Amino acid sequence: MSSSDGHRPSLAHRLVDTSRVPQDVRVSYYLWVLDVVLSIISALYVVFVGGGPVIAGVIGFVFALLLAVLYLYCAVRMKEGRPWARMVLTLLASLSAIALIGSIVQGMFGLSLLGPIIAVFAAVLMWSRNANPWFRQRR
């Protein structure tokens, strides 16, 4: 993604610019960003309210931040039409769906289910009929 003067747009611009992006891809991108924000909030909750050892909470938070960066990077690249990013996010959403099913089977309900549900909806939108041409033209 280059601008007309040959310079790459800033990271901030790449994060917020959804011009020319098909609606299904745009909504999927926003859902992935929401999922990232929720995972960071959840990790912060565990650190400050979790009640477990502080070091475990901090390690979990660092791990959550690293995953959030991966999700966000892939979401931006997906929004820019990169098929490989759509595949990575699909894999991550599949793992979330498996975790979601496991949580439901174990009788665990609550806000912790929100992230996996969002990821599944985001993945479905990435593969919609309206989104597919966006990825074909960007190969």
Side-chain angles (χ1 to χ4, degrees):
M1 178 178 182
S2 296
S3 64
S4 59
D5 61 4
H7 293 83
R8 286 186 64 92
S10 69
L11 177 60
H13 180 76
R14 290 177 71 198
L15 285 171
V16 298
D17 181 27
T18 57
S19 60
R20 300 184 316 257
V21 176
Q23 182 176 353
D24 287 358
V25 175
R26 184 180 317 117
V27 172
S28 176
Y29 171 70
Y30 290 140
L31 287 173
W32 285 115
V33 171
L34 177 62
D35 196 31
V36 166
V37 169
L38 289 175
S39 70
I40 292 172
I41 291 170
S42 175
L44 283 171
Y45 178 81
V46 169
V47 168
F48 292 108
V49 184
V54 173
I55 189 71
V58 170
I59 290 170
F61 181 71
V62 169
F63 184 71
L65 278 180
L66 291 173
L67 276 177
V69 169
L70 171 67
Y71 270 66
L72 192 57
Y73 176 75
C74 289
V76 168
R77 300 303 286 171
M78 180 276 301
K79 174 183 63 89
E80 294 171 348
R82 302 299 180 257
W84 66 264
R86 182 167 68 158
M87 293 301 295
V88 170
L89 289 170
T90 301
L91 174 64
L92 294 171
S94 299
L95 294 173
S96 289
I98 292 168
L100 175 66
I101 292 167
S103 294
I104 292 171
V105 166
Q106 292 177 356
M108 297 170 55
F109 298 97
L111 289 178
S112 63
L113 300 180
L114 191 56
I117 291 170
I118 289 171
V120 169
F121 278 118
V124 168
L125 286 170
M126 290 186 313
W127 289 96
S128 72
R129 182 177 305 163
N130 296 332
N132 286 331
W134 180 250
F135 296 97
R136 273 189 237 116
Q137 72 185 13
R138 301 264 188 261
R139 287 181 189 208

